[in-house]
Amino acid sequence: MADRLTVVVVEEDRDRAIAIVDALKASEDCDVFVIGNVSGLARQIAAHEPDVVLIDIDNPTRDMLEELTLASGPLERPVAMFVSGAAGGLATAAIEAGVSAYVVDGLKAERLKPIMDAAIARFQMVRQMRTELAETRRALEERKVIDRAKGVLMKARGVGEEEAYAMLRKTAMDQGRKVADVAEALVTASGLLS
Amino acid sequence: MKTVTLPVAYMPLVDAAPLIVAQDLGFAEAEGLSLDLIAAPSWSSVRDMLAFGRVDAAHMLSPVPVAMALGLGGVRTALSAVSVTSVNGNVIGVGRPLEDKLRSAGHDFSFDDAAHAGAALASVIDDRLTVGVPFPFSMHVELLHYWFENTPLAGLDVTIRVVPPPLMAQAMAAGEIDAFCVGEPWGSVTVESGAGALLLPAKSIWAFAPEKVLAVRSDWAETEPHLLGRLMRATFKAGRWLSLPESRTAAATLLSRKEYLDVSSELIDRALSGRLTISSNGDQRQVDDLLEFNAGAANFPWRSQAKWIGARMAQRSGFDVGEAMRAAGSVFRSDLYRQELSQTTSDMPGASEKLEGSLAHATAVASETGRLILHPDRFFDGRIFDPSAKS
C-alpha cells in the first residue's frame, strides 16, 4: 500500500522505543521502524525511505540528521525539519514536548497531524517520567547526605537524631539555604577535619 | 539598573568561554544582566532554541545564520550575527591507520603547512577518505572543502560526514571515519584517548576564520536594542579578558568545571595557550592565534567574512553567487556592532568589508580612533577573496 506512511523513530532505549511505536500504530495505520544504533545513522534512515523521522530533542546524534536536509544528502527526497507553515502550532508543541520531527517535503499537514499528535503525547509522557525519575534519585541522594550529616552531629555533639535534624534545619533557615546543602557542607567539612 | 535575566544557549566547547566568563566573572552583572546559560546537546538544538524563542541569544557556528538566510537546512527564522566571539580554534586529526601510513611515508607532522599536509595525505590514501565534522553548516566544513579543492586531495573520493564530537573517537574506532575536523577540547580528547593524531590546525587553511558568533533573532534585535547592547558589551569585555595571557589559568579552571565543559583544565589550557600535544607519543606544537577571543578586531563581524561563507555555500548548492553574497552580508551586523560597541573599544575598523586573505603579516589599518592592527588572514593557497567582485 503506497498510501501508508513510513515513520522512523531514532531511539536507543528499547522500552521507550516500544512505547512510542505502540502509540504511533494505535493512532494511524503506518509502518514504523526503530533505529537504536546510531552508527551510519543517515544511511540507515535512508534505507527505509521514511516520510517522517522522529528523534528525541535531547539526543546529541540529532545533528547527524541535519545531513538529510541537504539536497545532496543520502535521501533522494529532500527532508525538512517540521517547523513552519500551516501546522506551525504543532511544531511548537512538538518542541515543547521534546520531539523533533523531520518530514519529507510535500507531505500534507492533515496526513501528518495524527502521527505528530501521538508522538507529542508519548514524548511528553516519557519526558515526565524521566523528570520524575531524576527527581526521585535526587531526593534519595539528599536523604543519604542528610542522614550522614545527622550521624556527624550526633557523634560530635552527643545529641539524639531528632535534635541533630533540628540543628540542621535551623542552620538552613538562618542562612536561607536548603537543609540538603547545609548537610552536604557539613559532611564535606567533617571529611576534611577527620 | 535593574538586573534582567537572559536565557542564552551554548555548546560546551572551549570557545563558549566568552559567554561563560561574562556570566561567571561579573561582566554581565556590570551591564545589569544575568545570563541563564543553557548547555545544548546538539547544534540543531541551539538553533531551534534560538529560532523558536526558548532563548534570546546563542553561541553559534558562524555559517549557521548564513545558511538559514540562504534557505539551507530546515529552519528559516532570520538571525543576526551581532559579533564574532572567537576566531579559529579547530583542528584536523587523522585516525591511527592514517597516522601510521603518514609516518611510514615520512610525513613530519610539521603542523603548519596545509598544502604540504594535503599532498602527504593524498599520497597515502588508497581509494577514499571520510572526514567527520560536527555540523553540516560549520567553518569546519567550509575549510575542509577549501583545503580539498586546492590540494591533490581534489582528485580523490572524499566524503564529509556529521558525527557529534563526543562520538568522534568511537566512529573512528568503528572505521566510519578516517579523519575529523573539530573544535577544542575534542581534538585533544581524541589524542589523549589514543585514537589518532592531529595533522593541522584549521587556521593553516584560513589564518583568520570567524568561528563562532553571538547570534540573536533579527526581530529581537529590533525590539530589544538596549538588552542587546548590554549583552554585546558584556560578551566583548569577557573576550578581551580572555585574550590576556594572565587570564589563561583562571579561564581553564573555570571552563573545566562540571557545569560547563567537565574536562580537565590541562586539556583546556592546550587550546588557550596554543601549545597542543598532537600525538600519543607526546609530540607538541605551538600555534599562534590557535583560538583568538579579541585581538586584531577579532570580534568585528566583517560583512566580507559572511560573504565568503555565503559564496562558498552557494557554489556548492548551485545558487546564484551574487545573490547569496548579498543575503549573507546582511547577516553579519557590523552596523549594530558599531552602534553598541564604539564606546567600549578603540579597535573599530573604518570599513565593514575587507579583502579576505590579503594580509600575510600583522598590518596597521585605518580605524575610527587611529590605528588598528589586523592579524594575518591568508588562505593557504594565497588566493584573495574580493567581497565586491561580481561573479
Side-chain angles (χ1 to χ4, degrees), chain A residues 38-40 43 57-64 66-67 69-70 81 83 95 102, chain B residues 41-45 47-48 52 73-74 134-137 160-162 164 167 176:
Chain A
V38 301
S39 85
R43 219 174 35 244
I57 235 165
D58 289 333
N59 191 330
T61 58
R62 235 193 99 192
D63 282 346
M64 294 164 105
E66 278 309 303
E67 282 187 338
T69 65
L70 290 167
M81 210 189 95
V83 284
I95 283 164
Y102 291 78
Chain B
S42 64
W43 283 112
S44 355
S45 183
R47 177 201 55 200
D48 297 350
F52 296 103
F135 202 60
F137 312 109
I160 293 179
R161 176 167 301 161
V162 172
L167 303 181
E176 286 174 25

Side-chain angles (χ1 to χ4, degrees), chain A residues 11-12 16 55-63 95-100 123 127 130-131, chain B residues 38-42 45 49:
Chain A
E11 175 58 68
E12 280 172 288
R16 213 182 294 160
I55 184 168
D56 190 320
I57 235 165
D58 289 333
N59 191 330
T61 58
R62 235 193 99 192
D63 282 346
I95 283 164
E96 277 166 13
V99 55
S100 26
F123 273 83
R127 171 159 287 211
R130 228 186 306 172
T131 317
Chain B
I38 299 165
S42 64
S45 183
M49 280 196 265

Side-chain angles (χ1 to χ4, degrees), chain A residues 134-177:
Chain A
E135 190 60 28
T136 312
R137 280 212 190 107
R138 200 183 50 78
L140 200 65
E141 284 302 311
E142 286 188 356
R143 201 70 252 156
K144 274 192 210 157
V145 171
I146 292 171
D147 281 346
R148 284 174 64 194
K150 278 197 292 194
V152 170
L153 282 176
M154 285 157 70
K155 202 169 154 203
R157 304 285 295 265
V159 297
E161 191 176 345
E162 270 180 34
E163 199 172 336
Y165 186 69
M167 287 165 76
L168 284 175
R169 208 178 48 190
K170 180 168 188 319
T171 310
M173 277 172 68
D174 290 349
Q175 298 186 0
R177 297 162 70 191

Side-chain angles (χ1 to χ4, degrees), chain B residues 105-129:
Chain B
H107 182 61
D108 55 5
F109 283 81
S110 66
F111 211 60
D112 57 0
D113 187 336
H116 175 59
L121 189 57
S123 74
V124 300
I125 290 168
D126 301 325
D127 48 350
R128 50 185 324 210
L129 175 73

Side-chain angles (χ1 to χ4, degrees), chain A residues 99-112:
Chain A
V99 55
S100 26
Y102 291 78
V103 178
V104 166
D105 213 12
L107 186 65
K108 294 216 164 56
E110 62 264 28
R111 296 224 53 202
L112 189 61

Side-chain angles (χ1 to χ4, degrees), chain A residues 111-126:
Chain A
R111 296 224 53 202
L112 189 61
K113 189 158 186 336
I115 296 276
M116 285 311 295
D117 283 343
I120 287 167
R122 183 56 60 174
F123 273 83
Q124 236 156 14
M125 207 182 292
V126 166

Side-chain angles (χ1 to χ4, degrees), chain B residues 10 20 24-25 250-265 268:
Chain B
Y10 73 101
I20 292 170
D24 215 279
L25 295 187
T253 310
L254 171 64
L255 292 173
S256 75
R257 293 209 319 231
K258 198 161 167 241
E259 65 265 40
Y260 299 128
L261 271 61
D262 198 15
V263 171
S264 85
S265 61
I268 292 168

